[in-house]
Protein backbone atom coordinates (compact mmCIF):
# COMPACT_ATOMS: atom_id res chain seq x y z
CA UNK A 1 0.00 0.00 0.00
CA UNK A 2 1.69 3.25 -1.07
CA UNK A 3 2.49 5.95 1.48
CA UNK A 4 -0.32 8.24 0.24
CA UNK A 5 -2.92 5.53 0.75
CA UNK A 6 -1.42 4.62 4.10
CA UNK A 7 -2.32 8.04 5.46
CA UNK A 8 -5.99 7.75 4.44
CA UNK A 9 -8.40 8.20 7.31
CA UNK A 10 -12.11 8.74 7.75
CA UNK A 11 -13.79 11.95 8.96
CA UNK A 12 -14.16 11.26 12.70
CA UNK A 13 -16.43 14.26 13.36
CA UNK A 14 -18.86 13.19 10.62
CA UNK A 15 -19.01 9.61 11.94
CA UNK A 16 -19.48 10.82 15.52
CA UNK A 17 -22.31 13.17 14.55
CA UNK A 18 -23.98 10.39 12.49
CA UNK A 19 -23.92 8.13 15.57
CA UNK A 20 -25.56 10.90 17.61
CA UNK A 21 -28.19 11.56 14.91
CA UNK A 22 -29.10 7.85 14.64
CA UNK A 23 -29.36 7.64 18.45
CA UNK A 24 -32.16 10.25 18.29
CA UNK A 25 -34.36 7.57 16.69
CA UNK A 26 -35.97 5.13 19.12
CA UNK A 27 -34.56 6.76 22.28
CA UNK A 28 -34.40 4.64 25.41
CA UNK A 29 -35.29 5.71 28.94
CA UNK A 30 -31.67 6.72 29.68
CA UNK A 31 -28.99 7.62 27.13
CA UNK A 32 -29.45 4.51 25.05
CA UNK A 33 -31.90 3.19 22.50
CA UNK A 34 -35.02 1.11 22.16
CA UNK A 35 -35.10 0.61 18.37
CA UNK A 36 -36.28 -2.98 18.32
CA UNK A 37 -36.50 -4.99 15.14
CA UNK A 38 -39.35 -4.07 12.73
CA UNK A 39 -40.86 -1.44 15.02
CA UNK A 40 -41.72 2.03 13.72
CA UNK A 41 -38.45 3.23 15.27
CA UNK A 42 -36.52 0.59 13.31
CA UNK A 43 -38.31 1.73 10.15
CA UNK A 44 -37.35 5.36 10.84
CA UNK A 45 -33.73 4.39 11.47
CA UNK A 46 -33.68 2.45 8.20
CA UNK A 47 -35.11 5.40 6.28
CA UNK A 48 -32.51 7.78 7.73
CA UNK A 49 -29.74 5.31 6.84
CA UNK A 50 -31.18 4.95 3.31
CA UNK A 51 -31.27 8.73 2.82
CA UNK A 52 -27.63 9.05 3.90
CA UNK A 53 -26.58 6.23 1.53
CA UNK A 54 -28.44 7.72 -1.42
CA UNK A 55 -26.83 11.10 -0.67
CA UNK A 56 -23.49 9.25 -0.90
CA UNK A 57 -24.43 8.04 -4.43
CA UNK A 58 -25.15 4.48 -3.34
CA UNK A 59 -28.00 2.47 -4.83
CA UNK A 60 -30.00 0.87 -2.00
CA UNK A 61 -31.68 -2.53 -2.36
CA UNK A 62 -33.65 -4.57 0.19
CA UNK A 63 -33.91 -8.36 0.19
CA UNK A 64 -36.90 -10.49 1.27
CA UNK A 65 -35.71 -10.46 4.91
CA UNK A 66 -35.41 -6.68 4.99
CA UNK A 67 -31.61 -6.75 4.85
CA UNK A 68 -30.49 -3.44 3.31
CA UNK A 69 -27.57 -3.22 0.83
CA UNK A 70 -26.23 0.21 -0.18
CA UNK A 71 -23.98 -0.33 -3.19
CA UNK A 72 -21.12 1.95 -4.31
CA UNK A 73 -20.30 0.87 -7.86
CA UNK A 74 -16.84 -0.45 -8.70
CA UNK A 75 -15.09 -0.17 -12.05
CA UNK A 76 -15.66 -3.90 -12.66
CA UNK A 77 -19.45 -4.36 -12.82
CA UNK A 78 -19.13 -8.15 -12.74
CA UNK A 79 -16.97 -8.33 -9.62
CA UNK A 80 -18.53 -9.58 -6.38
CA UNK A 81 -18.88 -6.86 -3.77
CA UNK A 82 -16.91 -6.25 -0.62
CA UNK A 83 -19.57 -5.93 2.12
CA UNK A 84 -19.09 -3.79 5.22
CA UNK A 85 -21.89 -3.68 7.75
CA UNK A 86 -23.65 -4.73 10.92
CA UNK A 87 -27.13 -3.98 12.37
CA UNK A 88 -29.26 -0.94 13.32
CA UNK A 89 -31.80 -2.76 15.50
CA UNK A 90 -31.22 -2.56 19.26
CA UNK A 91 -32.12 -4.31 22.48
CA UNK A 92 -35.10 -2.85 24.40
CA UNK A 93 -32.61 -1.17 26.75
CA UNK A 94 -29.72 -1.11 24.31
CA UNK A 95 -26.81 1.19 23.73
CA UNK A 96 -26.29 3.52 20.79
CA UNK A 97 -23.15 1.81 19.39
CA UNK A 98 -23.91 -1.97 19.37
CA UNK A 99 -24.27 -2.72 15.64
CA UNK A 100 -24.82 0.91 14.70
CA UNK A 101 -21.08 1.66 14.73
CA UNK A 102 -20.45 -1.03 12.11
CA UNK A 103 -23.18 0.19 9.76
CA UNK A 104 -22.29 3.89 10.01
CA UNK A 105 -18.54 3.22 9.83
CA UNK A 106 -19.30 1.40 6.55
CA UNK A 107 -21.08 4.53 5.33
CA UNK A 108 -18.13 6.65 6.46
CA UNK A 109 -15.76 4.43 4.41
CA UNK A 110 -17.86 5.12 1.31
CA UNK A 111 -18.09 8.87 2.01
CA UNK A 112 -14.32 9.05 2.48
CA UNK A 113 -13.67 7.30 -0.84
CA UNK A 114 -16.16 9.69 -2.48
CA UNK A 115 -14.44 12.72 -0.94
CA UNK A 116 -11.05 11.55 -2.21
CA UNK A 117 -12.37 10.45 -5.60
CA UNK A 118 -10.96 6.97 -5.14
CA UNK A 119 -12.50 4.30 -7.35
CA UNK A 120 -12.35 0.63 -6.43
CA UNK A 121 -12.44 -2.34 -8.79
CA UNK A 122 -15.03 -4.19 -6.76
CA UNK A 123 -18.28 -2.61 -5.61
CA UNK A 124 -18.52 -1.85 -1.90
CA UNK A 125 -21.86 -2.62 -0.22
CA UNK A 126 -22.84 -1.23 3.17
CA UNK A 127 -25.17 -3.71 4.92
CA UNK A 128 -27.82 -3.30 7.61
CA UNK A 129 -28.87 -6.81 8.68
CA UNK A 130 -32.44 -7.15 9.99
CA UNK A 131 -33.13 -8.57 13.44
CA UNK A 132 -29.62 -9.14 14.71
CA UNK A 133 -30.60 -8.80 18.38
CA UNK A 134 -33.31 -11.45 18.55
CA UNK A 135 -34.86 -9.62 21.52
CA UNK A 136 -38.25 -9.20 19.80
CA UNK A 137 -38.08 -12.07 17.29
CA UNK A 138 -35.88 -15.00 18.34
CA UNK A 139 -33.37 -16.27 17.39
CA UNK A 140 -30.75 -13.52 17.05
CA UNK A 141 -28.96 -13.00 13.71
CA UNK A 142 -32.16 -14.29 12.04
CA UNK A 143 -31.93 -12.40 8.73
CA UNK A 144 -28.21 -12.89 8.17
CA UNK A 145 -28.94 -16.55 8.95
CA UNK A 146 -31.48 -16.69 6.10
CA UNK A 147 -28.99 -14.87 3.83
CA UNK A 148 -26.33 -17.47 4.65
CA UNK A 149 -28.75 -20.36 4.06
CA UNK A 150 -28.99 -21.40 7.72
CA UNK A 151 -32.72 -20.74 8.15
CA UNK A 152 -35.61 -21.12 5.68
CA UNK A 153 -37.29 -17.82 4.90
CA UNK A 154 -40.81 -19.08 5.67
CA UNK A 155 -39.66 -20.36 9.07
CA UNK A 156 -38.19 -16.91 9.77
CA UNK A 157 -41.37 -15.15 8.60
CA UNK A 158 -43.37 -17.26 11.06
CA UNK A 159 -41.34 -16.21 14.12
CA UNK A 160 -43.59 -14.30 16.50
CA UNK A 161 -43.00 -11.65 19.15
CA UNK A 162 -44.53 -11.61 22.66
CA UNK A 163 -47.79 -10.22 21.21
CA UNK A 164 -48.02 -12.97 18.59
CA UNK A 165 -47.14 -10.66 15.69
CA UNK A 166 -45.32 -12.48 12.85
CA UNK A 167 -41.91 -11.35 11.56
CA UNK A 168 -43.10 -11.49 7.93
CA UNK A 169 -46.17 -9.36 8.65
CA UNK A 170 -44.23 -6.77 10.62
CA UNK A 171 -41.62 -6.57 7.85
CA UNK A 172 -44.41 -5.87 5.36
CA UNK A 173 -46.04 -3.34 7.71
CA UNK A 174 -42.89 -1.19 7.91
CA UNK A 175 -42.41 -1.42 4.15
CA UNK A 176 -39.11 -3.30 4.13
CA UNK A 177 -40.06 -6.67 2.68
CA UNK A 178 -37.83 -6.54 -0.38
CA UNK A 179 -37.09 -8.82 -3.31
CA UNK A 180 -34.54 -11.44 -4.32
CA UNK A 181 -31.01 -10.25 -5.00
CA UNK A 182 -30.33 -12.69 -7.79
CA UNK A 183 -28.59 -16.03 -7.55
CA UNK A 184 -25.04 -15.56 -6.50
CA UNK A 185 -25.43 -13.36 -3.43
CA UNK A 186 -22.25 -14.32 -1.59
CA UNK A 187 -19.89 -11.32 -1.33
CA UNK A 188 -16.19 -11.40 -2.20
CA UNK A 189 -15.53 -10.55 1.47
CA UNK A 190 -17.50 -9.34 4.50
CA UNK A 191 -16.09 -7.01 7.16
CA UNK A 192 -17.80 -5.98 10.40
CA UNK A 193 -16.62 -3.35 12.85
CA UNK A 194 -18.26 -3.78 16.28
CA UNK A 195 -17.76 -2.65 19.86
CA UNK A 196 -16.17 -5.42 21.94
CA UNK A 197 -19.04 -5.53 24.45
CA UNK A 198 -16.53 -6.81 27.00
CA UNK A 199 -13.72 -5.33 29.14
CA UNK A 200 -10.52 -6.79 27.63
CA UNK A 201 -9.42 -4.09 25.15
CA UNK A 202 -10.05 -1.21 27.53
CA UNK A 203 -8.41 -3.03 30.49
CA UNK A 204 -5.28 -3.69 28.41
CA UNK A 205 -5.25 -0.25 26.74
CA UNK A 206 -5.52 -1.80 23.26
CA UNK A 207 -7.03 0.14 20.33
CA UNK A 208 -8.13 -2.70 18.01
CA UNK A 209 -9.44 -6.23 18.58
CA UNK A 210 -8.59 -8.68 15.78
CA UNK A 211 -11.51 -11.08 16.17
CA UNK A 212 -10.19 -14.54 15.34
CA UNK A 213 -13.25 -16.49 16.50
CA UNK A 214 -16.86 -16.09 17.59
CA UNK A 215 -17.80 -18.38 20.49
CA UNK A 216 -20.62 -20.91 20.12
CA UNK A 217 -24.12 -20.08 21.33
CA UNK A 218 -27.16 -22.18 22.28
CA UNK A 219 -30.59 -20.68 22.98
CA UNK A 220 -33.26 -22.84 24.66
CA UNK A 221 -36.79 -21.98 25.80
CA UNK A 222 -38.08 -23.95 28.81
CA UNK A 223 -41.79 -24.15 29.73
CA UNK A 224 -42.57 -25.47 33.23
CA UNK A 225 -46.14 -26.53 34.03
CA UNK A 226 -47.36 -27.00 37.59
CA UNK A 227 -50.77 -26.24 39.06
CA UNK A 228 -52.22 -22.83 39.94
CA UNK A 229 -53.41 -22.89 43.53
CA UNK A 230 -54.36 -20.55 46.38
CA UNK A 231 -51.25 -19.02 47.99
CA UNK A 232 -52.88 -19.07 51.41
CA UNK A 233 -54.77 -22.33 51.72
CA UNK A 234 -52.54 -24.73 49.76
CA UNK A 235 -50.12 -26.58 52.08
CA UNK A 236 -46.48 -26.54 50.85
CA UNK A 237 -46.31 -30.35 50.27
CA UNK A 238 -49.42 -30.15 48.05
CA UNK A 239 -47.99 -27.63 45.61
CA UNK A 240 -46.70 -28.05 42.04
CA UNK A 241 -45.02 -24.66 42.00
CA UNK A 242 -43.65 -23.66 38.58
CA UNK A 243 -42.13 -20.56 40.19
CA UNK A 244 -39.94 -22.75 42.40
CA UNK A 245 -38.89 -24.67 39.32
CA UNK A 246 -37.85 -21.42 37.63
CA UNK A 247 -35.71 -20.50 40.62
CA UNK A 248 -34.04 -23.95 40.59
CA UNK A 249 -33.36 -23.64 36.82
CA UNK A 250 -31.78 -20.21 37.26
CA UNK A 251 -29.51 -21.71 39.93
CA UNK A 252 -28.77 -24.74 37.68
CA UNK A 253 -27.69 -22.52 34.75
CA UNK A 254 -25.36 -20.58 37.04
CA UNK A 255 -23.89 -23.80 38.48
CA UNK A 256 -23.31 -25.44 35.07
CA UNK A 257 -21.61 -22.32 33.69
CA UNK A 258 -19.31 -22.12 36.73
CA UNK A 259 -18.52 -25.85 36.39
CA UNK A 260 -17.17 -25.04 32.90
CA UNK A 261 -15.16 -21.96 33.93
CA UNK A 262 -13.35 -19.89 32.80
CA UNK A 263 -14.98 -19.55 29.36
CA UNK A 264 -18.57 -20.78 29.78
CA UNK A 265 -21.36 -18.27 30.34
CA UNK A 266 -25.00 -19.05 31.13
CA UNK A 267 -27.93 -16.65 31.41
CA UNK A 268 -31.64 -16.84 32.17
CA UNK A 269 -32.65 -13.56 30.54
CA UNK A 270 -36.41 -13.82 30.33
CA UNK A 271 -38.82 -15.28 32.92
CA UNK A 272 -42.55 -15.08 32.23
CA UNK A 273 -44.65 -16.22 35.20
CA UNK A 274 -48.33 -17.15 34.76
CA UNK A 275 -50.75 -16.04 35.93
CA UNK A 276 -48.33 -13.64 37.69
CA UNK A 277 -50.70 -12.89 40.58
CA UNK A 278 -49.38 -12.25 44.09
CA UNK A 279 -51.70 -14.80 45.72
CA UNK A 280 -51.65 -17.61 43.16
CA UNK A 281 -49.00 -20.35 43.13
CA UNK A 282 -47.55 -20.03 39.58
CA UNK A 283 -48.96 -22.70 37.32
CA UNK A 284 -46.63 -22.02 34.41
CA UNK A 285 -43.30 -20.32 33.79
CA UNK A 286 -41.51 -19.75 30.44
CA UNK A 287 -37.75 -19.15 30.66
CA UNK A 288 -35.09 -18.36 28.04
CA UNK A 289 -31.68 -20.01 28.44
CA UNK A 290 -28.52 -18.63 26.79
CA UNK A 291 -25.35 -20.78 27.00
CA UNK A 292 -22.07 -19.85 25.25
CA UNK A 293 -18.61 -21.39 25.00
CA UNK A 294 -15.68 -21.30 22.53
CA UNK A 295 -15.66 -25.11 22.07
CA UNK A 296 -18.45 -27.13 20.43
CA UNK A 297 -17.96 -30.30 22.51
CA UNK A 298 -18.15 -28.32 25.75
CA UNK A 299 -21.31 -26.55 24.56
CA UNK A 300 -22.86 -29.97 23.84
CA UNK A 301 -21.82 -31.18 27.30
CA UNK A 302 -23.34 -28.08 28.91
CA UNK A 303 -26.64 -28.62 27.10
CA UNK A 304 -26.75 -32.34 28.02
CA UNK A 305 -26.05 -31.52 31.67
CA UNK A 306 -28.76 -28.86 31.63
CA UNK A 307 -31.43 -31.10 30.10
CA UNK A 308 -30.71 -33.81 32.67
CA UNK A 309 -30.85 -31.25 35.49
CA UNK A 310 -34.23 -29.94 34.38
CA UNK A 311 -35.68 -33.48 34.24
CA UNK A 312 -34.44 -34.27 37.77
CA UNK A 313 -35.72 -30.97 39.19
CA UNK A 314 -39.14 -31.36 37.50
CA UNK A 315 -39.49 -34.85 38.94
CA UNK A 316 -38.63 -33.65 42.45
CA UNK A 317 -41.13 -30.79 42.36
CA UNK A 318 -43.81 -32.59 40.31
CA UNK A 319 -43.73 -30.34 37.24
CA UNK A 320 -44.23 -30.99 33.53
CA UNK A 321 -41.67 -29.39 31.22
CA UNK A 322 -40.75 -28.83 27.57
CA UNK A 323 -37.40 -27.63 26.24
CA UNK A 324 -37.49 -25.96 22.80
CA UNK A 325 -34.24 -25.58 20.85
CA UNK A 326 -34.59 -21.94 19.70
CA UNK A 327 -31.31 -21.63 17.83
CA UNK A 328 -27.61 -21.07 18.08
CA UNK A 329 -24.40 -21.75 16.25
CA UNK A 330 -21.09 -23.54 16.62
CA UNK A 331 -17.94 -21.53 17.35
CA UNK A 332 -16.68 -19.88 14.15
CA UNK A 333 -13.13 -19.18 12.96
CA UNK A 334 -12.86 -16.06 10.77
CA UNK A 335 -10.76 -15.73 7.61
CA UNK A 336 -7.01 -15.85 8.31
CA UNK A 337 -6.01 -13.74 5.27
CA UNK A 338 -8.44 -10.95 6.14
CA UNK A 339 -7.35 -11.07 9.78
CA UNK A 340 -3.75 -10.64 8.67
CA UNK A 341 -4.88 -7.50 6.80
CA UNK A 342 -6.59 -6.21 9.94
CA UNK A 343 -3.35 -6.63 11.89
CA UNK A 344 -1.31 -5.05 9.07
CA UNK A 345 -3.64 -2.05 8.72
CA UNK A 346 -3.66 -1.53 12.51
CA UNK A 347 0.13 -1.55 12.61
CA UNK A 348 0.41 0.76 9.59
CA UNK A 349 -1.96 3.18 11.33
CA UNK A 350 0.07 3.05 14.53
CA UNK A 351 -2.74 1.35 16.44
CA UNK A 352 -2.15 -1.30 19.11
CA UNK A 353 -4.02 -4.55 18.46
CA UNK A 354 -4.50 -8.02 19.90
CA UNK A 355 -6.31 -11.18 18.84
CA UNK A 356 -9.58 -11.74 20.67
CA UNK A 357 -12.54 -14.17 20.72
CA UNK A 358 -16.00 -12.60 20.47
CA UNK A 359 -18.23 -13.33 23.47
CA UNK A 360 -21.25 -11.94 21.63
CA UNK A 361 -22.84 -13.37 18.50
CA UNK A 362 -22.76 -11.31 15.30
CA UNK A 363 -24.13 -11.45 11.76
CA UNK A 364 -20.54 -12.08 10.71
CA UNK A 365 -20.82 -15.51 12.37
CA UNK A 366 -23.36 -16.54 9.73
CA UNK A 367 -21.90 -14.68 6.73
CA UNK A 368 -18.63 -16.49 7.52
CA UNK A 369 -20.30 -19.63 6.17
CA UNK A 370 -20.56 -18.26 2.62
CA UNK A 371 -17.72 -15.74 2.26
CA UNK A 372 -14.32 -14.82 3.72
CA UNK A 373 -15.26 -12.79 6.82
CA UNK A 374 -13.45 -10.81 9.48
CA UNK A 375 -14.45 -8.65 12.45
CA UNK A 376 -12.73 -5.66 13.96
CA UNK A 377 -13.41 -4.64 17.58
CA UNK A 378 -13.02 -1.30 19.26
CA UNK A 379 -13.02 -1.03 23.09
CA UNK A 380 -16.07 0.05 25.05
CA UNK A 381 -16.12 1.77 28.42
CA UNK A 382 -16.22 -0.69 31.35
CA UNK A 383 -16.91 -3.38 28.74
CA UNK A 384 -20.58 -2.48 29.16
CA UNK A 385 -23.15 -3.32 26.47
CA UNK A 386 -26.83 -4.33 26.25
CA UNK A 387 -27.17 -1.47 28.75
CA UNK A 388 -28.28 2.08 28.05
CA UNK A 389 -25.02 3.38 29.49
CA UNK A 390 -22.98 1.67 26.74
CA UNK A 391 -20.26 4.12 25.72
CA UNK A 392 -17.18 4.41 23.51
CA UNK A 393 -14.83 7.30 22.73
CA UNK A 394 -14.78 9.21 19.44
CA UNK A 395 -11.13 8.15 19.06
CA UNK A 396 -11.96 4.45 19.40
CA UNK A 397 -14.77 4.78 16.83
CA UNK A 398 -12.45 6.59 14.40
CA UNK A 399 -9.58 4.13 14.86
CA UNK A 400 -11.86 1.17 14.16
CA UNK A 401 -13.34 2.89 11.11
CA UNK A 402 -9.85 3.69 9.78
CA UNK A 403 -8.87 0.02 9.99
CA UNK A 404 -12.17 -0.90 8.28
CA UNK A 405 -11.39 1.63 5.52
CA UNK A 406 -7.95 0.16 4.82
CA UNK A 407 -8.98 -3.49 4.90
CA UNK A 408 -12.02 -2.77 2.69
CA UNK A 409 -9.83 -0.85 0.25
CA UNK A 410 -7.34 -3.73 0.10
CA UNK A 411 -10.14 -6.23 -0.52
CA UNK A 412 -11.92 -4.07 -3.12
CA UNK A 413 -8.75 -3.12 -5.02
CA UNK A 414 -7.95 0.48 -5.95
CA UNK A 415 -8.81 1.16 -9.59
CA UNK A 416 -7.65 4.79 -9.72
O1 LIG B 1 -26.80 -12.11 21.67
C1 LIG B 1 -25.83 -11.63 21.09
O2 LIG B 1 -24.71 -12.06 21.28
C2 LIG B 1 -25.98 -10.47 20.13
O3 LIG B 1 -25.71 -9.29 20.83
N1 LIG B 1 -27.29 -10.42 19.56
MN1 LIG C 1 -24.42 -6.35 17.91
MN1 LIG D 1 -26.38 -6.79 20.76
Amino acid sequence: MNSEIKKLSIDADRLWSDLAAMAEIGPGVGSGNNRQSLTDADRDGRLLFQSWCEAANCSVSVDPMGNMFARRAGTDPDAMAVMVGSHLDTQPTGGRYDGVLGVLAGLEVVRTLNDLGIKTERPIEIVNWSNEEGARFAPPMLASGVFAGVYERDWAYARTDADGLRFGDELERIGFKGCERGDDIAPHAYLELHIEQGPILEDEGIDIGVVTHGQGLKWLRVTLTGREAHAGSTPMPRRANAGLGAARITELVEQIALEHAPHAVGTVGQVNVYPNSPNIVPGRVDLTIDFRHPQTDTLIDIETRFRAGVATMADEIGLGFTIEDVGGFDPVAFDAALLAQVRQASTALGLSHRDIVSGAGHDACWVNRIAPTAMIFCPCIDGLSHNENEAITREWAAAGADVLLHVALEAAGIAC
Side-chain angles (χ1 to χ4, degrees):
M1 196 178 288
N2 71 41
S3 56
E4 274 314 295
I5 294 291
K6 264 194 195 145
K7 285 204 294 282
L8 276 189
S9 81
I10 57 102
D11 180 332
D13 289 335
R14 184 168 54 190
L15 173 59
W16 200 243
S17 70
D18 283 355
L19 288 163
M22 184 56 77
E24 296 294 311
I25 297 179
V29 175
S31 61
N33 277 105
N34 179 5
R35 196 171 51 243
Q36 293 186 68
S37 181
L38 310 189
T39 57
D40 291 354
D42 182 23
R43 177 202 56 214
D44 296 346
R46 289 163 173 265
L47 292 171
L48 177 62
F49 168 62
Q50 180 164 343
S51 68
W52 284 343
C53 291
E54 287 166 347
N57 300 321
C58 292
S59 57
V60 178
S61 63
V62 181
D63 79 1
M65 285 298 294
N67 297 315
M68 300 174 74
F69 303 89
R71 187 183 183 92
R72 179 183 196 256
T75 55
D76 177 355
D78 302 326
M80 291 313 288
V82 171
M83 286 185 179
V84 290
S86 192
H87 62 93
L88 292 174
D89 69 310
T90 75
Q91 288 283 336
T93 54
R96 55 174 62 189
Y97 304 106
D98 172 0
V100 184
L101 175 65
V103 177
L104 300 187
L107 171 61
E108 184 47 41
V109 164
V110 163
R111 282 175 168 162
T112 302
L113 297 178
N114 290 348
D115 292 347
L116 299 171
I118 293 177
K119 290 196 182 330
T120 56
E121 288 156 16
R122 297 181 176 285
I124 291 180
E125 285 194 340
I126 315 159
V127 187
N128 168 34
W129 300 107
S130 302
N131 204 73
E132 189 279 344
E133 292 294 358
R136 182 184 178 199
F137 297 100
M141 290 78 87
L142 180 66
S144 52
V146 171
F147 182 84
V150 174
Y151 301 119
E152 287 300 319
R153 191 190 309 158
D154 289 346
W155 180 81
Y157 279 168
R159 306 303 291 165
T160 55
D161 69 2
D163 299 325
L165 296 173
R166 292 174 74 256
F167 183 95
D169 298 341
E170 283 293 279
L171 190 63
E172 196 135 28
R173 183 185 68 80
I174 67 166
F176 274 90
K177 193 175 194 178
C179 38
E180 296 292 353
R181 279 174 45 86
D183 304 338
D184 192 1
I185 57 169
H188 170 69
Y190 175 67
L191 303 168
E192 181 165 353
L193 170 64
H194 205 289
I195 61 172
E196 178 199 340
Q197 300 181 292
I200 296 170
L201 295 177
E202 187 190 35
D203 287 354
E204 296 181 7
I206 302 275
D207 303 315
I208 297 292
V210 184
V211 187
T212 57
H213 297 78
Q215 71 174 344
L217 175 153
K218 171 60 78 179
W219 269 24
L220 302 169
R221 175 177 287 275
V222 177
T223 297
L224 298 175
T225 39
R227 191 183 61 239
E228 291 171 25
H230 196 295
S233 53
T234 311
M236 296 307 278
R238 304 285 290 265
R239 296 178 177 210
N241 181 352
L244 176 61
R248 295 268 171 87
I249 283 183
T250 304
E251 193 59 50
L252 176 66
V253 167
E254 190 80 7
Q255 190 189 333
I256 293 172
L258 295 176
E259 280 169 9
H260 294 81
H263 298 300
V265 286
T267 312
V268 176
Q270 217 174 53
V271 180
N272 293 314
V273 181
Y274 300 93
N276 208 26
S277 162
N279 44 6
I280 298 180
V281 175
R284 191 184 118 203
V285 177
D286 293 335
L287 307 97
T288 60
I289 315 294
D290 177 320
F291 280 120
R292 310 204 190 190
H293 194 278
Q295 266 100 38
T296 304
D297 55 351
T298 307
L299 208 48
I300 292 169
D301 177 51
I302 286 171
E303 182 180 353
T304 308
R305 173 85 172 70
F306 175 73
R307 286 176 181 271
V310 171
T312 308
M313 175 282 296
D315 191 40
E316 282 163 4
I317 302 182
L319 301 177
F321 71 94
T322 60
I323 302 177
E324 179 198 352
D325 187 334
V326 175
F329 49 79
D330 293 342
V332 294
F334 292 117
D335 181 79
L338 284 175
L339 292 171
Q341 285 173 23
V342 173
R343 295 187 193 96
Q344 196 181 340
S346 304
T347 305
L349 290 162
L351 297 168
S352 57
H353 58 86
R354 58 107 83 199
D355 287 5
I356 193 168
V357 174
S358 175
H362 301 283
D363 296 305
C365 297
W366 284 142
V367 182
N368 188 56
R369 287 182 176 225
I370 58 168
T373 297
M375 289 195 76
I376 303 158
F377 274 177
C378 79
C380 50
I381 292 171
D382 292 341
L384 194 63
S385 183
H386 285 195
N387 180 307
E388 291 216 34
N389 298 316
E390 176 185 280
I392 62 174
T393 68
R394 178 185 165 287
E395 290 65 35
W396 289 341
D402 279 341
V403 173
L404 181 71
L405 168 68
H406 283 270
V407 179
L409 208 43
E410 187 73 23
I414 298 172
C416 56

